[in-house]
Amino acid sequence: MDGSLTDFDNLTFSHSLQMLKAALPYMNNNEQRTFTVFIKIFELRNALSLIQEEDNQLTACSENAEGSQILNMLNHIRDFCTDKEKEFIDLFINFNQAFQLFSSYRASMPEGQSDNNNMFDMLKNLLTPEQQAAFDGYSQMFAGMA
């Protein structure tokens, strides 16, 4: 994790709140409690005003590409993940790409040809049992998006 701000943080960012956050360690316990609540209330107020806007600046979605939305989201949140979480996201993205490749291969085969299931099983057997289970789950999810 690199500690950078998310788009949401940037849109709800307040210079004065950041200064208060920086000053928190130098306050006594009672002041810290009061100012922590004060800061969170103002952050909530900023967030609520953001989502009430007619033209929400936070929207990154398009109605026609749900599968790519998930991949775009995963690539974006990957920047804020631990190494272990990044590995899981990379695995998910790779499974998605493999599933899309296999789906393209299957669609390009003439009807009645059955070796595409054998190829799928052969590739799947190269995975660990945990990866196979994850792949089965992801396959069902992506099949629902197609």
Side-chain angles (χ1 to χ4, degrees):
M1 293 184 285
D2 63 10
S4 61
L5 297 175
T6 65
D7 293 341
F8 180 77
D9 291 326
N10 286 325
L11 290 171
T12 60
F13 180 79
S14 166
H15 179 72
S16 57
L17 290 179
Q18 288 302 106
M19 290 189 326
L20 284 174
K21 288 178 184 181
L24 279 175
Y26 303 97
M27 297 177 186
N28 67 42
N29 285 341
N30 287 335
E31 290 170 334
Q32 283 181 351
R33 286 186 198 109
T34 302
F35 277 94
T36 298
V37 171
F38 174 77
I39 289 167
K40 290 302 175 186
I41 288 171
F42 274 89
E43 287 178 337
L44 179 60
R45 187 194 69 173
N46 291 346
L48 290 173
S49 67
L50 174 69
I51 61 173
Q52 290 174 348
E53 292 177 10
E54 189 76 24
D55 183 24
N56 187 341
Q57 300 172 36
L58 198 57
T59 302
C61 299
S62 63
E63 288 95 31
N64 58 0
E66 187 175 320
S68 64
Q69 284 179 25
I70 291 171
L71 294 177
N72 289 339
M73 178 191 66
L74 288 173
N75 280 312
H76 189 80
I77 66 172
R78 191 180 182 283
D79 295 338
F80 302 95
C81 292
T82 64
D83 289 340
K84 187 73 173 167
E85 292 165 335
K86 285 179 183 179
E87 287 178 26
F88 180 76
I89 288 175
D90 291 342
L91 180 67
F92 184 88
I93 290 170
N94 290 335
F95 278 152
N96 177 51
Q97 291 171 338
F99 181 77
Q100 288 179 356
L101 181 63
F102 179 72
S103 295
S104 297
Y105 171 77
R106 184 182 270 175
S108 70
M109 295 298 291
E111 284 194 38
Q113 222 171 356
S114 63
D115 69 340
N116 48 357
N117 280 337
N118 293 335
M119 181 185 141
F120 178 73
D121 290 336
M122 180 185 73
L123 291 173
K124 190 174 167 186
N125 287 331
L126 296 174
L127 301 173
T128 67
E130 295 83 16
Q131 290 172 329
Q132 288 178 15
F135 186 79
D136 288 338
Y138 297 142
S139 296
Q140 291 174 358
M141 183 175 64
F142 287 115
M145 287 191 277

